[in-house]
Every structure is written in structure tokens, then in C-alpha cells.
Amino acid sequence: MWFLVPAFAILLVFFVLPTLFNFVYAFTDWSGFKSEINPVGFDNFADLASSGTLFSALRITVVYAALVAVFQNVFGFALAVLLERDTRLNRVARVFFLIPVLMSALAVGYLFQALLKPDGGVNQLIGAVARQPFDHAWLADNTWTIVVVALIHSWKWMGLSMLIYLAGLKTIPEDVMEAARIDGASRWRTFWAVRSPLLAPAVTFNVATALLGSMNGFDIVQATTGGGPARTTEILNIFIYRTFGQGLFAQATTMSLVLFLLVALMAFPVIHRLRKREEIL
Amino acid sequence: MKRWTSTVAVAAALTLGLAACSDPTADRPADTTVSWPAPTGRLDGVSLTIWAAQNSNTVPKKVIEGFQAATGASVEVVTIPDPYEQGIQTKVATGDKPDLAFWQPTASMLTAINARSNLQPLTDAPWLPAMAPQLRDITGLLDDTRYAALVTSPAVEGVYYNKEVFAAHGVTVPPRNFDEMVALARQLKAKGVTPFYEMGADRWATQWWVQVQLADAAKSGLWERINTGQEKFTDPTVLGAIKKYKALVDEGLFNPDIKTAKFEDQGAALLDGKAAMVVQVNSFFGQLQAKADTATLDKRIGFFPISPSGNVGTFIPDQSNALVAFATGDAKREAAARQLLAYWMGPGYPDFLADRNTVSLQTAVPDPAGVPQALRDVHAALPASVGSMQAQAVANPDLFLNLADMITGTTTPEQAAKATQDQFAQLAKAAGAPGF
């Protein structure tokens, strides 16, 4: 068992200890303003609970995560179904949809920020098609910008969902499909009654990673809106980043602890439910 | 037995980890005396790092060239991406320090970087006697210890206006106080001119509108009262200024695209005469200098300070105006960093001013010939100016962010004031200010 020690040492230093400190520092007054660190009990939690910003950031985070989970899976699933057959064209197309997954998230964010500016490429294209100037500020709408940003996030990651759905589709046994055909099921019926349920493990993985991954999102939102307009896209990590940057390290730590607990609280029921769906297999 | 040893091993590892992860910026005793090496003494083999922001990374170019040639040291400028201050605080908190960095020299920002333990005191700096007396101690001090070297004229919040637009509508004398300015704006609007231009999307300039209205209150101790909790942002003085700003926006005295306009749009609008006035600071003029030459600027752009009672400016030294030297623990490099500052403000100063085309802070060094008139006017407004929130408050809350939210219509002036006060109290408490 001693050969496990190096692995555990790395796990301890880079994972266990930081997580532990996340719990410890949340109960202190650690800040950039002074060198001493004193315990303060639940003060940070009380402060956060009394100001509305934390709850609004939490709400935005959950909405954002839910939107990303839906979009990313719908896109990924649609792509997987469309590109399922192993033709040469499909193989090339799969590679192209996988490229955004490999791109830097910040690059994706800045790219879309430039495209979606009032005088950016998207509006110029719409203007050219409609033959009249079009200058909608896509990233400055208090209601819809979060949807736009969630779409960008989903665009970046949909290739990964596609890949996993594809793998799921490929593992469906041919004899099950054949039995369905012999029973006289239409293609539509086969799709919904046989293939979709058999994709349950892929759905579990995709929904869980999309939902929980986007709860920890930061880069794409930071690059596109920075939390604006009027903080309607200020997800918790942006809020934490801003607080940390002001030197309020303990408060930022408290928030990241809250985020950690929130992700854990959401992860268990979601994964449990999705796993339940798999039991029919 | 085996179990017991592994428990001990884990406990030991955890304790070790805890010790290793304690605050890397532990207090060090403040030096009582500071030695200042000769500005051009040899420094062969010494390499220094300067952290700069995207808008200040070209500032030291000429100084570095001169310093490297004179001393043999090598100096590297590292650009820290925006938001600059956040990036620096995060790096310093994790134990990463440069030799020098551009930094806002105000007490609140010196507190924010924990100057007492992270920075070198610049006591008895050799260039101080040469500084213009009224500018010597205007900023850079925290509890009477000097931590920052002011290299360029600190920014002043005031009104940049398009002279041609004013002339075309028969305005010969700039407004003499805030109310006159608003009255003029209404006249201009009636003639179809956009009186004011604001950059709601880039957010940070929104606070100037509130701060210039507070200039007189600041003179009579507003920030001291706020610093001690006797007065709040939610009390009539500050809240009234926020409400007035909102009322002017609602009245339609600003550009119609105020919510989506950016910093660059603001510069272009004033230069092209699409708007008459902009309340801004020096970095705005820096943008105009990048867009037009001195002759064009002198012809088109003017500056006047403003406050409710008259033409009083509000000064706000920013990050591009000053440098701090870090206490890195390496005595040789710390001395070299001080030497670079001494060179900058000493033998290298005239070349620096000529390269940056900016006004001189030293009585014996004349301004370079090509400094635009507006910049001279800004500098002239400085001695009579009062300190901004950043210069006088013990903490620097995100007033601009709350005002930008208000402009987009998601919050009321009352909510903006309350959010600012809450954050101020939180920061003041963290900074150990009494009364919070």
C-alpha cells in the first residue's frame, strides 16, 4: 500500500488541505488589510445572509446552471442523433463540433463578446440580411443576457455532450433494435421507446456534469459580460472573485464554502434521481 | 499499530500543511531609517520587475531605458490584466511580489495592499525637496509614513467640454458652478445638442458625477464623518447627490445610449462634438491624446473643475500616477528598487516628462513644450482641489457599480446608497477602522 503514498500526498496537499482551509478560513477575519487572522465565529455567514447580494448571486447561479444543463444536452443530443451514422462527412462534422471543447473558455468568451457587440459581426449579418441597420445590444439586456451567455457556454461544451451521447447510441445492442423492428415498431417509436431509455447512463453523466460544471462557471461569463448588465449575470464565482479582489479574503472563502455546499446539496439528489432512471436497464 | 502510525502520519502532514499555508504576508518590523543609493550607481546583474496595468505599462519605457544604460541593471515590466487592483491583491495575498508596481497612492488603497507589511517605506526620499510644495504630501502617505512615489500629476475629476460646441451655441464662459452647468445643459438640449455623455456599460465613470457634487461637503469633513460612522452614504448628503444624478439622467440630459455606451464611445463623442460635456478624470484625456494631436486638442477640448459652490476640483490619484516599492526581503533588490525611483524622479525626470508629454511635479523642471492646454488646466486645478472618496475614505466601496446598476434601472438611488454603505462598513470593519 505504500506505493499509494505519493498519490495521496498530492491529493492531500492540493485537494484535501485547500478544501479544509475553505472551512477554516470561512470562520475567520482573514483579509488583505492586516496580517493577523482571528476567528470570528459565524459573523461572515450572518453578514452574507443579511445582505441580499449573496442570495441574488445564488439564484442567478442556479438559473444559469439549469439553462446550461438544458441547452447543452438538447444541442449535444440533437448533434449525436444527426451525426450518428459513420459517414465520412459525419466524422468531419463531429471533429468540428468538438473543436470548441478544446478551445480556451476565455477565448470563446472574448470571441462572442466581439461578435455580439452592437456593431459586431452578428448584428452586421442580421443587418445585411434584413437590409436595414440592426444594433441590438445582445449582452446588455437585463432579462435575456443570461440566456445568451448560457447559450455560449452550451455552445462551447455541446461537443462533449455529443461525444458521450454518441458513445451511448453506439452501445445499444443491435438485437434489441432488431427485435423492435420485427415487432413492427416505427422508427419514431423505436427512437423514443427503445433507444432513448437505453441512453440513461449518458444522460446521467451529461446532465450532472453540465449542471454542476456550470455552477462552478466563471471564465465564459467573465469574458462576455463580467457579471453585467446590472449584475444580472453575476454568478457566484464572479461575486467571489470580486470580493476576493477587494481584499475580503474571509468573506470570499465563506462564499466559496456556500457554493461548495450548494453544489453538494444539488449533486446528490440530481445524481440519485438520474441513477434511479437507469435501473430499468 | 499500523493504523496508529498512519493516523499520526496524517495528523503530522496536516499540521505541517497548516503551518505552510499560514498567511505569507506576516508582519515585519517597519524600518525606521531608509538609505537611498545614488541614482546612477552601478547595478550590474540586478534584475527588477515592475507590475503595470494595461493603461500604464508604457509609462516607464523611457525611464527604464535610461536607468538600464546608466546602471547596467535590467528592468522588466509585467502587465497585470484588468481589473488591475484585484489581480495585484490576489497575487500579493498568495505571496507573489514584484520589486515595484503602479498603485493608487491613496490611504484606502495603501491599506488595501497592507502597506505596513508589504511595502518599503520611502521616508526621506531624495526627490522630495524638489517637488512643488503643495503637491509634496498631497497623497502617498498612510499614517504619516510615505509608501508611494507620485510620478505624474494626480487625476482631477472635472468637466471636459468641446470648445467648438460651446462656441457654436454662444457659450463664451464655462459654467461657474454645478447649477449653472445644469442650466447650460438644458439650454443646449433645447437646441438639439446632447449636453452630457456617460459610459454606462463601462461603469467606472458613473461615480464622478456623485463625487463632484460632494466636493464642498468633502471640504467640511464629510469623509471623516463617514469614516467614523457618524454619517452614512444613505444620509441626505450622499443620497441627495445620487438622486440628483439620477434625476439628470431621467430628464434626458445624457446620451440616449447611456446604458450601452463605453469609454471609447465617450472619447469619440466629445472629440467629434456629438456631446458637449463629459465628467471625467485624466485617463479620459489620455484617450483623447491617443486619438488626436496637441493642436487639435487645444482647439477643441477644454477643462473646468466643478462643484456645487464653484469651480472646485476633486482629486483622485490613480494607479498610473504613482509607484510603490515592495518589501521583498532581498535587501539588494529592495535598494535597487529605491534607486530606480530616485533615478526616475531625479536624473531621468525631464526625459520621462518629454516622453509622456505631461506636466512636471517639480518646480525646477519645466513642462515639456507639447503639453495640451487642458492638461495644464487640470494640473492648475489641483492645489485648490479636495480629496475624492478614494483619497479620503478609509475604504473604497464599489460606488460606481451601484450607480451603474441604478442607471440601467434595476435599482433605486436608495438601494444604490444602501449597497454602497453596506459594502463600505464591511471593508472598514475588515480594515480595522474603529466604529465598524
Side-chain angles (χ1 to χ4, degrees):
Chain A
M1 72 159 277
W2 286 106
F3 59 85
L4 280 175
V5 167
F8 271 111
I10 289 171
L11 192 74
L12 182 78
V13 172
F14 292 105
F15 190 79
V16 179
L17 275 180
T19 313
L20 213 66
F21 278 114
N22 205 358
F23 282 89
V24 174
Y25 281 133
F27 298 93
T28 67
D29 66 350
W30 180 34
S31 77
F33 305 115
K34 55 186 175 4
S35 304
E36 320 82 65
I37 301 175
N38 309 307
V40 292
F42 283 88
D43 268 17
N44 294 327
F45 292 89
D47 281 356
L48 279 175
S50 67
S51 95
T53 335
L54 175 70
F55 292 112
S56 99
L58 278 177
R59 189 174 50 77
I60 291 165
T61 309
V62 173
V63 169
Y64 180 73
L67 285 172
V68 169
V70 170
F71 292 148
Q72 192 180 319
N73 281 285
V74 168
F75 297 159
F77 187 65
L79 283 174
V81 172
L82 285 173
L83 304 176
E84 189 191 349
R85 288 180 49 218
D86 283 329
T87 62
R88 181 166 295 183
L89 181 71
N90 281 358
R91 283 173 200 216
V92 174
R94 283 178 206 160
V95 171
F96 272 96
F97 283 110
L98 203 63
I99 288 175
V101 178
L102 308 174
M103 281 167 72
S104 136
L106 283 174
V108 169
Y110 287 121
L111 211 79
F112 273 95
Q113 196 230 23
L115 283 172
L116 294 171
K117 277 199 294 203
D119 56 354
V122 171
N123 283 346
Q124 285 176 12
L125 194 70
I126 295 175
V129 171
R131 288 170 189 284
Q132 56 181 352
F134 190 82
D135 64 348
H136 181 72
W138 296 95
L139 296 173
D141 188 297
N142 288 348
T143 318
W144 295 105
T145 299
I146 190 161
V147 180
V148 176
V149 179
L151 279 169
I152 297 170
H153 192 127
S154 316
W155 176 86
K156 180 179 174 359
W157 290 106
M158 68 186 178
L160 189 68
S161 298
M162 171 192 78
L163 211 62
I164 289 156
Y165 281 123
L166 267 176
L169 287 170
K170 297 273 173 203
T171 55
I172 295 173
E174 192 48 41
D175 49 344
V176 177
M177 299 296 295
E178 208 177 334
R181 269 200 296 279
I182 292 168
D183 286 348
S186 63
R187 285 186 62 162
W188 190 248
R189 181 80 194 264
T190 317
F191 181 76
W192 285 114
V194 181
R195 298 174 79 194
S196 300
L198 285 172
L199 277 178
V203 174
T204 305
F205 182 83
N206 271 338
V207 171
T209 49
L211 192 70
L212 305 175
S214 55
M215 299 219 29
N216 280 314
F218 173 74
D219 32 27
I220 290 179
V221 185
Q222 178 69 18
T224 46
T225 64
R231 295 190 222 183
T232 52
T233 59
E234 190 174 275
I235 57 174
L236 202 60
N237 268 336
I238 300 230
F239 186 39
I240 291 172
Y241 172 69
R242 214 155 50 75
T243 311
F244 196 88
Q246 280 161 338
L248 296 171
F249 305 146
Q251 280 84 345
T253 311
T254 311
M255 287 178 216
S256 73
L257 179 60
V258 171
L259 180 66
F260 175 82
L261 294 175
L262 179 76
V263 171
L265 274 176
M266 281 183 67
F268 288 115
V270 166
I271 292 173
H272 181 75
R273 263 196 76 111
L274 290 169
R275 291 301 291 249
K276 264 270 189 287
R277 282 186 66 238
E278 291 177 24
E279 282 171 13
I280 53 155
L281 295 180
Chain B
M1 178 63 194
K2 198 150 202 184
R3 190 165 215 161
W4 181 83
T5 34
S6 53
T7 315
V8 169
V10 168
L14 279 175
T15 327
L16 207 71
L18 276 165
C21 289
S22 62
D23 192 339
T25 61
D27 271 323
R28 47 175 248 150
D31 290 338
T32 42
T33 52
V34 184
S35 67
W36 288 92
T40 51
R42 291 308 291 179
L43 287 171
D44 294 293
V46 177
S47 48
L48 295 173
T49 306
I50 303 178
W51 283 354
Q54 275 149 351
N55 71 350
S56 54
N57 57 8
T58 55
V59 173
K61 190 171 158 279
K62 198 79 186 172
V63 175
I64 291 174
E65 284 171 16
F67 186 69
Q68 291 186 147
T71 64
S74 73
V75 183
E76 190 195 4
V77 176
V78 177
T79 306
I80 307 292
D82 286 330
Y84 179 72
E85 281 80 5
Q86 291 190 10
I88 299 252
Q89 277 180 295
T90 311
K91 278 176 178 292
V92 171
T94 50
D96 193 5
K97 285 178 196 167
D99 297 295
L100 293 155
F102 283 89
W103 193 253
Q104 193 181 96
T106 59
S108 65
M109 289 310 282
L110 289 172
T111 308
I113 201 161
N114 196 1
R116 284 180 206 88
S117 47
N118 289 330
L119 302 182
Q120 296 188 47
L122 304 178
T123 316
D124 300 327
W127 63 85
L128 288 175
M131 293 276 279
Q134 68 271 36
L135 300 176
R136 198 176 292 148
D137 295 329
I138 195 168
T139 189
L141 299 160
L142 179 65
D143 298 335
D144 298 325
T145 306
R146 188 178 307 277
Y147 289 106
L150 196 65
V151 294
T152 49
S153 179
V156 177
E157 297 162 18
V159 186
Y160 290 88
Y161 66 99
N162 189 304
K163 290 181 182 171
E164 291 174 346
V165 173
F166 270 31
H169 295 88
V171 186
T172 48
V173 192
R176 278 162 303 181
N177 58 50
F178 196 83
D179 286 341
E180 273 191 33
M181 181 174 79
V182 173
L184 170 66
R186 291 189 179 124
Q187 284 172 33
L188 289 170
K189 184 176 155 61
K191 292 175 183 166
V193 178
T194 301
F196 302 124
Y197 199 100
E198 183 64 281
M199 39 170 251
D202 273 341
R203 310 189 286 204
W204 52 265
T206 53
Q207 58 178 319
W208 312 146
W209 270 92
V210 170
Q211 294 213 30
V212 296
Q213 290 184 65
L214 297 174
D216 302 305
K219 210 174 243 177
S220 60
L222 170 73
W223 298 111
E224 285 86 49
R225 293 194 296 279
I226 286 184
N227 285 343
T228 46
Q230 291 166 33
E231 192 167 341
K232 293 186 162 65
F233 286 81
T234 46
D235 287 335
T237 312
V238 184
L239 180 59
I242 297 175
K243 280 182 170 168
K244 181 92 163 258
Y245 178 36
K246 177 81 161 62
L248 296 176
V249 174
D250 290 345
E251 197 185 327
L253 296 178
F254 286 84
N255 45 315
D257 60 348
I258 181 167
K259 291 181 196 173
T260 54
K262 294 193 162 239
F263 185 50
E264 292 79 25
D265 305 327
Q266 198 181 28
L270 191 72
L271 203 56
D272 300 343
K274 286 193 193 117
M277 291 176 268
V278 161
V279 175
Q280 261 290 12
V281 292
N282 296 32
S283 58
F284 173 76
F285 195 75
Q287 187 201 156
L288 299 185
Q289 281 182 294
K291 286 189 160 95
D293 56 20
T294 299
T296 315
L297 290 174
D298 281 346
K299 196 158 74 88
R300 288 198 200 157
I301 307 294
F303 172 86
F304 60 88
I306 202 82
S307 82
S309 71
N311 290 120
V312 180
T314 303
F315 78 85
I316 171 166
D318 69 27
Q319 153 269 121
S320 66
N321 295 134
L323 284 102
V324 292
F326 280 83
T328 54
D330 178 339
K332 197 169 159 198
R333 271 175 38 219
E334 285 184 7
R338 292 197 298 274
Q339 185 178 333
L340 174 54
L341 289 177
Y343 176 84
W344 192 321
M345 296 306 292
Y349 200 54
D351 278 352
F352 166 68
L353 293 179
D355 177 55
R356 299 303 300 169
N357 207 7
T358 190
V359 287
S360 168
L361 302 178
Q362 299 186 358
T363 35
V365 181
D367 293 347
V371 179
Q373 187 55 43
L375 213 52
R376 291 180 205 265
D377 292 344
V378 172
H379 186 70
L382 200 55
S385 294
V386 290
S388 61
M389 172 176 82
Q390 282 80 357
Q392 299 202 333
V394 288
N396 182 8
D398 293 330
L399 173 64
F400 72 98
L401 208 57
N402 299 319
L403 293 173
D405 286 359
M406 180 184 80
I407 288 177
T408 61
T410 54
T411 54
T412 61
E414 285 79 5
Q415 286 169 327
K418 182 175 181 303
T420 311
Q421 176 64 37
D422 287 352
Q423 199 197 5
F424 176 80
Q426 195 182 31
L427 288 164
K429 186 179 163 191
F436 288 94

